[in-house]
Amino acid sequence: MHALAAAPMKISTRATPVAFLLLCLMAVRVGAQGPATDALADGWRALQAGQLLNARQSFMRAVAASPEEARAHEGLARVAERDGDAAEAIGHYETALVHAPDTARLHVAVGILLSDAREHGRAVEHLRRAADLDAENAATWRAYAQALWRIEWYPRAAAAYERAIALEPAEVWAHIGLGDTHLRAGRLDDAVAAYDRALERDAGAYAAHCGRGAALSKRGEFDDALTSLRQAVTLRDDYGPAYYEMGVALQHQKNYEDAIRAFGRATQLNGWDAPSVMNIARCYARLGKRGLARKAHEHAAKLQEAQSDLATATAYIGRYPTEPDGYVGLGAVYARMGQRAEAIAAYEQALERKPRDVAAHVGLGDLYLNAGMIAEAADIHRVLVTLRPGDIETRAMFGMLLRELGEDEESHAVLAEAHGIVSARATQSGGANDWNLFAYVLYAQGDYAAAETAMQAAIRLNPIEPSYAGRLSQIRAALAASR
């Protein structure tokens, strides 16, 4: 054996403090990595099982133990995405990319979310980077192509789809995407050819039949277009774009009655479809049904306004993802369009960002009241009373909701407090709105005769306020019913 190998190791006493410090640092790093690794594994297991709360808690522990662990931030992004909070997910993905900037899948994930949120510049930047990092991945090129298509960069979108097709020729949706790109660019023959290639690979590709029909319609071949479009809806009866294109072809054929039915089906499937409603208005006008045409036109204008408001709220969220205002705006639009679940989710996301946001509570409260969700409305109004202690209408509504829930003792106390506040205001300042509010509280207390007297006082002081007459009618109806 070599002499040096056999000799025992000796450590200089002067080197001992340095070596000890290095050992301590290594121990700290290993100790930090252990909890992070365990929490990370727990988080992915919980996410796979659909246990989002457990997953979030585990990933947060992993981040706390190791803030630079990109997979932990990615996990939080996946949880937020599954929870429907795209803005939060985008933030976590971009944090993950700070620590792992060359991870293509992260760029793809955040790019798709940004594209959906109409943050097109950032979306394209991330997806272009992903394509650079993972140039042999067809799915990455498809995602990049779709983002380019959305911002109408059609030559670049076509090139990206062609790259995806070269990598994965059997993938039908790349051919459909290429067809859609050529269709938007007005290259109708190329579009039909791309859709035909998609159908050669899958005769049941309903979107290819739809796109083909739209292209043929633009070429003036309406009979052939309708054949393709009818095949699309035969394959998938709930595919709205096919009904829209069918309506367009029928409209060109001056078959206005059938066109109205096709556009009507499109609006049943997509309540936001302003172009279909506008075309219904045009068809009614052609048929000489001016009243129906006017109503359809007004509804289309309402839809277009809602879409504009939706785009504004979405853009605000994209720019200020941690602020509640964009989500409040989103909730208001959804509520106006009768989409209750989406409205509730938007208001709840606002409250996650600012738990005591007044506008979000008001929006949720109105939504619950309109839906007859009394217990939920009462919970919201309980909070609103603390947020707006001087708001008499909130107190009166809270008292009435408590009474509906059988909480008579608390209801009486809440309404008595409101009565004391507003009666003092009415007798001291004597303003019209003070008497109006006094009438509302008296109505809530069931004292309809006194409420009528107070409401009449409000009307004498301000006879041109339109809401007062309605409230007086409501009070008188309750008085008549109580006799």
Side-chain angles (χ1 to χ4, degrees), residues 300-316:
K302 176 185 174 183
L303 289 172
Q304 288 172 336
E305 182 184 3
Q307 288 179 346
S308 176
D309 292 344
L310 185 68
T312 300
T314 302
Y316 190 93

Side-chain angles (χ1 to χ4, degrees), residues 335-336 338 340 347 362-374 377 381 397 401:
R336 195 166 79 234
R340 186 193 309 163
Y347 285 129
V362 169
L364 261 181
D366 289 345
L367 198 65
Y368 288 142
L369 282 171
N370 291 333
M373 301 168 69
I374 303 302
H381 280 77
M397 178 57 71
L401 289 168

Side-chain angles (χ1 to χ4, degrees), residues 118-129:
R118 303 177 186 179
E119 286 284 312
H120 298 304
R122 290 164 64 197
V124 167
E125 183 179 345
H126 278 289
L127 290 163
R128 181 176 58 236
R129 178 63 177 149

Side-chain angles (χ1 to χ4, degrees), residues 138 142 161-162 164-165 168-169 171-179 194 198:
R142 288 197 300 274
Y161 274 124
E162 286 167 353
I165 289 168
E168 199 173 334
E171 171 52 51
V172 172
W173 283 100
H175 293 280
I176 294 171
L178 182 59

Side-chain angles (χ1 to χ4, degrees), residues 349-396:
Q349 287 174 339
L351 292 174
E352 286 174 7
R353 284 151 177 81
K354 187 179 178 183
R356 293 180 65 79
D357 186 80
V358 172
H361 279 93
V362 169
L364 261 181
D366 289 345
L367 198 65
Y368 288 142
L369 282 171
N370 291 333
M373 301 168 69
I374 303 302
E376 292 82 356
D379 289 340
I380 292 295
H381 280 77
R382 186 183 296 278
V383 178
L384 276 173
V385 167
T386 67
L387 296 176
R388 302 193 303 189
D391 191 303
I392 298 301
E393 286 189 287
T394 297
R395 287 179 179 272

